[in-house]
């Protein structure tokens, strides 16, 4: 009998990495077209139960065929050549619905890709699907939209994947795509990544463009990778990083990007590192199992060569963290509607409310924003970016001063102090979300990486907080911890 062609060889999708996919392309084991077909088949079998993906790109196979032809002709692979990508449904993607989970945008189909999507496609990524999200990204608690309903956690379908990037988290965790994108205003990359045993990068504000992304609070919003490995998240981050004239904040990061982020993927990066423990977060009424996993993580950090400084006490932390949020949704969403959607019937928050919602949670959120603006306390303090806002700068400087005095490379705490809540009790059981407290306000980078599982098989995440634009340091530390512990495993499906 003759040998099977690559297209007849089944593709094992479990935990595939970019490096492994590219090795398969080079070896002729399978093609990008084969891989996309395999992912589409898996989506058909799993998405009905998880409700993670809302739109499948009808052009994904054609894109894969074109990339296969390019590789056959050139013998060269682009950085993300033929890598299927899951995109959160608030990021403009040309020719595909970008709904933010809302009825007001259910028929909005952008004519152009967002800046970061353009960069990813130029690097060879294939947009496989759009993912469900919490409507307007309002909820850190659960992932429910008017356009697609509720997403389920693949490790326990009766539980939430957190919010609002829960669709990307559930899809990537369940191996329905190779890599994914989320956005994070307060929690929404790191929370869902923690709840679904993924790596999630919230990068420094100013490193990656946010243009053509439906905003919640643009002063806090970040877009970033949600992947199964630190190496894959690093590769996605590297492609996206860079200045965008349409996002003035990226001028601050223009000179902060190393030539190659992947060179910091060093297994010995924890050797000699100094890691601080922020007990004011980790000891705030934790679930006993999460507390135990965190203590084990600290032991592992030491075994891997780090000096653990425990505790770290930031002067005036409790006071500095207060009065950081600013209710900016009305202004930000109305700017987005005017710039990108451009419909006479959809210009204002009142138009959004008139069109309506199927979600009680979103309805209540929209109602709050009718009159809410600025800070709830001391409204005379301007709501500015992390480089010019006095409250934000004071909070960050206090943290970085303490890091400097103790010579810390990073600070750690659990991404959540409690396991994922039950979907039917998402409000009552929402507690322990540590991601909201520091990085969204200070602008600092914060990466979450799998920390282990509870006895019931529910994931937990360990968060590393770094200095501004210290992504290279965090890449090394999280990679070394990941490689030294290897906590992640896929759901049983």
């Amino acid at each position: 009998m003759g040998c099977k062609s690559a297209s007849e060889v089944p593709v094992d999708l479990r935990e595939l990495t970019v490096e492994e996919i590219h090795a398969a392309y080079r070896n002729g084991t399978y093609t990008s077209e084969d891989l996309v077909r395999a992912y589409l088949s898996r989506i058909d079998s799993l998405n009905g139960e998880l409700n993670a993906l809302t739109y499948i790109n009808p052009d994904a196979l054609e894109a894969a065929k074109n990339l296969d032809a390019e590789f056959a002709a050139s013998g060269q692979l682009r950085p993300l050549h033929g890598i299927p990508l899951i995109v959160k449904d608030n990021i403009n993607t040309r020719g595909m619905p970008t709904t933010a989970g809302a009825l007001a945008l259910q028929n909005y189909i952008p004519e152009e890709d967002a800046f970061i999507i353009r960069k990813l496609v130029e690097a060879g990524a294939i947009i496989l699907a759009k993912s469900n999200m919490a409507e307007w990204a309002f909820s850190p608690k659960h992932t429910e939209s008017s356009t697609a309903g509720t997403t389920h956690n693949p490790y326990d379908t009766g539980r939430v994947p957190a919010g609002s990037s829960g669709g990307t988290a559930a899809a990537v965790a369940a191996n329905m795509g190779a890599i994914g994108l989320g956005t994070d205003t307060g929690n929404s990359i790191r929370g869902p990544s923690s709840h679904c045993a993924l790596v999630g990068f919230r990068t420094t504000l100013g490193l990656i463009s946010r243009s053509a992304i439906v905003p919640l609070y643009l002063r806090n919003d970040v877009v970033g990778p949600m992947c199964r490995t630190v190496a894959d998240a690093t590769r996605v981050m590297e492609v996206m990083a860079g200045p965008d004239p349409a996002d003035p904040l990226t001028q601050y990061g223009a000179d902060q990007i190393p030539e190659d982020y992947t060179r910091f993927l060093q297994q010995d990066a924890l050797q000699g590192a100094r890691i601080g423990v922020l007990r004011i977060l980790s000891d705030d009424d934790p679930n006993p199992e999460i507390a135990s996993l965190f203590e084990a993580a600290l032991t592992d950090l030491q075994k891997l060569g780090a000096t653990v400084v425990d505790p770290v006490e930031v002067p005036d932390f409790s006071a500095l963290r207060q009065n950081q949020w600013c209710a900016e949704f009305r202004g930000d969403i109305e700017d987005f509607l005017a710039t990108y959607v451009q419909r006479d019937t959809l210009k204002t928050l009142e138009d959004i409310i008139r069109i309506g919602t199927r979600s009680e949670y979103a309805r209540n959120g929209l109602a709050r924003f009718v009159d809410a603006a600025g800070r709830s306390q001391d409204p005379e303090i301007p709501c500015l970016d992390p480089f010019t806002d006095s409250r934000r700068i004071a909070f960050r400087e206090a943290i970085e001063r303490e890091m400097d005095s103790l010579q810390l490379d990073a600070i750690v705490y659990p991404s959540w102090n409690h396991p994922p809540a039950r979907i039917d009790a998402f409000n009552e059981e929402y507690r322990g979300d540590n991601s909201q407290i520091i990085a969204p306000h200070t602008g600092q980078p914060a990466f979450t990486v799998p920390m282990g599982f509870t006895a019931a098989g529910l994931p937990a995440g360990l968060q590393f907080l770094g200095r501004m634009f210290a992504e290279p340091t965090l890449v090394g530390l999280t990679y070394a911890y990941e490689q030294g512990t290897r906590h992640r495993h896929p759901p049983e499906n």
Side-chain angles (χ1 to χ4, degrees):
M1 293 179 68
C3 295
K4 288 185 177 182
S5 70
S7 62
E8 295 174 299
V9 176
V11 181
D12 184 354
L13 297 177
R14 289 174 298 179
E15 305 298 277
L16 273 180
T17 66
V18 172
E19 186 176 15
E20 290 167 344
I21 291 168
H22 280 177
Y25 292 167
R26 291 188 179 99
N27 296 337
T29 308
Y30 52 79
T31 65
S32 179
E33 181 184 354
D34 299 329
L35 183 63
V36 169
R37 289 188 187 278
Y39 276 122
L40 292 174
S41 177
R42 187 164 176 83
I43 289 168
D44 283 343
S45 67
L46 290 182
N47 195 49
E49 181 179 22
L50 298 179
N51 198 35
L53 301 176
T54 59
Y55 182 83
I56 309 303
N57 180 9
D59 298 325
L61 278 171
E62 188 64 28
K65 291 176 185 178
N66 291 338
L67 287 163
D68 287 337
E70 177 187 313
F71 177 54
S74 70
Q76 300 296 314
L77 293 173
R78 306 188 213 177
L80 295 176
H81 197 106
I83 304 299
L85 166 69
I86 305 295
V87 178
K88 186 177 179 180
D89 196 24
N90 60 347
I91 303 170
N92 276 8
T93 41
R94 180 173 55 86
M96 300 179 212
T98 298
T99 75
L103 298 179
L105 293 178
Q106 64 181 336
N107 297 316
Y108 169 53
I109 299 177
E111 296 181 359
E112 300 292 338
D113 285 329
F115 180 82
I116 54 114
I117 295 296
R118 190 160 64 249
K119 294 189 77 172
L120 289 162
V121 170
E122 289 170 354
I126 298 170
I127 301 174
L128 184 64
K130 300 295 287 287
S131 61
N132 196 31
M133 59 178 284
E135 189 165 337
W136 298 115
F138 283 172
S139 178
K141 306 174 183 182
H142 69 321
T143 296
E144 176 196 21
S145 69
S146 285
T147 51
T150 298
T151 296
H152 301 257
N153 191 314
Y155 289 91
D156 181 343
T157 55
R159 293 182 182 265
V160 301
S164 65
S165 308
T168 296
V172 175
N175 291 282
M176 290 197 285
I179 54 177
L181 293 181
T183 61
D184 188 316
T185 304
N187 149 87
S188 299
I189 288 171
R190 294 157 296 147
S193 294
S194 174
H195 275 11
C196 292
L198 295 179
V199 173
F201 287 4
R202 181 187 167 98
T203 55
T204 306
L205 269 166
L207 185 72
I208 295 173
S209 168
R210 294 89 41 81
S211 67
I213 298 173
V214 183
L216 176 48
Y217 301 152
L218 190 58
R219 68 194 296 273
N220 293 74
D221 292 347
V222 166
V223 59
M226 300 171 68
C227 297
R228 290 183 293 272
T229 69
V230 172
D232 282 359
T234 301
R235 290 182 168 93
V236 175
M237 174 183 69
E238 179 163 81
V239 168
M240 292 194 294
D244 171 14
D247 183 356
L249 206 64
T250 57
Q251 66 179 313
Y252 291 99
D255 298 326
Q256 302 286 343
I257 301 169
E259 186 175 335
D260 178 12
Y261 280 107
T262 63
R263 66 188 173 92
F264 300 101
L265 295 166
Q266 300 291 334
Q267 285 189 250
D268 63 353
L270 280 164
Q271 289 285 340
R274 291 176 60 82
I275 308 295
V277 181
L278 200 58
R279 289 286 175 187
I280 196 169
L281 298 188
S282 65
D283 292 2
D284 184 12
D285 188 30
N287 173 278
E289 286 191 88
I290 304 297
S292 178
L293 290 172
F294 182 61
E295 295 305 319
L298 299 180
T299 299
D300 286 333
L301 290 170
Q302 291 176 308
K303 289 178 179 177
L304 292 165
T307 297
V308 173
V309 181
D310 185 5
V312 171
E313 297 180 354
V314 176
D316 300 321
F317 183 90
S318 295
L320 288 167
R321 63 178 282 190
Q322 301 301 318
N323 200 23
Q324 291 287 349
W325 292 104
C326 287
E328 300 286 280
F329 178 69
R330 176 190 283 276
D332 289 343
I333 195 62
E334 290 179 355
D335 282 349
F336 180 88
L337 296 175
T339 303
Y340 298 104
V341 181
Q342 298 180 350
R343 289 184 192 159
D344 289 341
T345 56
L346 184 58
K347 292 183 175 181
T348 66
L349 177 59
E350 284 73 19
D351 290 332
I352 291 170
I353 293 170
R354 170 180 49 79
I355 293 167
T357 175
R358 298 187 179 103
S359 164
E360 181 181 359
Y361 190 95
R363 185 177 297 109
N364 292 336
L366 290 167
R368 284 195 302 271
F369 286 123
V370 169
D371 297 316
R375 301 179 196 272
S376 59
Q377 301 173 19
D378 302 320
E380 72 279 2
I381 301 175
C383 293
L384 303 173
D385 65 54
F387 302 95
T388 57
D389 188 303
S390 60
R391 290 290 300 171
R392 303 177 82 167
I393 292 169
F395 194 13
R396 179 174 68 249
E397 287 183 345
I399 292 168
E400 292 193 339
R401 273 197 304 268
E402 192 64 17
M403 292 181 72
D404 290 344
S405 70
L406 297 172
Q407 298 180 299
L408 300 179
D409 296 286
I411 290 173
V412 295
Y413 42 88
S415 296
W416 282 63
N417 285 347
H418 287 262
R422 292 172 296 166
I423 287 174
D424 60 5
F426 75 88
N427 251 328
E428 301 90 329
E429 295 181 4
Y430 171 73
R431 56 187 182 274
D433 175 1
N434 288 325
S435 296
Q436 306 270 1
I437 296 167
I438 302 175
H441 312 300
T442 64
Q444 292 169 261
F447 294 3
T448 187
V449 65
M451 185 171 70
F453 294 81
T454 68
L458 300 173
L462 178 66
Q463 194 157 154
F464 290 72
L465 177 79
R467 293 174 176 81
M468 296 292 277
F469 298 106
E471 280 77 9
T473 299
L474 294 188
V475 164
L477 298 177
T478 54
Y479 182 74
Y481 175 76
E482 172 198 59
Q483 295 299 301
T485 57
R486 296 189 178 271
H487 285 302
R488 173 168 166 87
H489 63 71
E492 295 179 0
N493 53 35

